[in-house]
Amino acid sequence: MNLDNKKFVATENKSGLSSNETIFHYFQNGTTITGKYKGGSIQEGFIIGKQTQDSEIKLLYQCLTTEGELKAGESTGTVSITPNGKLKLSFDWNWLNGYLSGGKSEYIEIE
């Protein structure tokens, strides 16, 4: 499953910063994944990662919040297809700086 030029919003992220106001824009070249995100409490964010299996990805991410805080984290995710044909991303993630919490999150592809 390829994430190139796909956009996503959060549908589930109780412990994280992103919300349904945060737009994630992914790019993929081979197994290399990059991306950017912003909106809601995220002023600017960047992603680098790789596809490790057909439906599994590993990402590192960093962002600047609207409150001026720098955050960095990592996640392992699965890519699946919803019944209506949209891509869905499901992650287990954790922060690498500051308050070292983590959680689970889900994102759905948007047009």
Side-chain angles (χ1 to χ4, degrees):
M1 293 185 221
N2 194 299
L3 298 178
D4 193 44
N5 205 25
K6 303 283 187 184
K7 293 182 180 179
F8 294 82
V9 295
T11 57
E12 178 74 29
N13 193 18
K14 293 178 185 169
S15 310
L17 292 175
S18 62
S19 68
N20 62 357
E21 297 177 333
T22 312
I23 306 293
F24 290 78
H25 193 179
Y26 287 89
F27 302 93
Q28 186 169 350
N29 184 4
T31 59
T32 302
I33 298 168
T34 59
K36 55 187 175 178
Y37 57 106
K38 65 180 355 179
S41 64
I42 308 293
Q43 183 174 322
E44 197 72 55
F46 298 96
I47 300 165
I48 185 75
K50 63 183 180 178
Q51 183 177 2
T52 56
Q53 297 179 26
D54 185 47
S55 61
E56 185 177 291
I57 59 177
K58 292 190 181 282
L59 304 176
L60 293 172
Y61 48 90
Q62 58 188 6
C63 69
L64 176 64
T65 70
T66 54
E67 295 180 359
E69 185 178 13
L70 288 169
K71 299 287 289 176
E74 63 183 348
S75 64
T76 299
T78 57
V79 183
S80 59
I81 299 176
T82 66
N84 66 354
K86 298 290 184 187
L87 291 179
K88 176 182 169 183
L89 304 176
S90 302
F91 291 107
D92 287 313
W93 60 268
N94 61 278
W95 294 115
L96 297 172
N97 72 324
Y99 181 62
L100 301 178
S101 64
K104 294 184 180 299
S105 58
E106 292 186 353
Y107 301 83
I108 192 76
E109 181 184 0
I110 59 172
E111 297 298 322

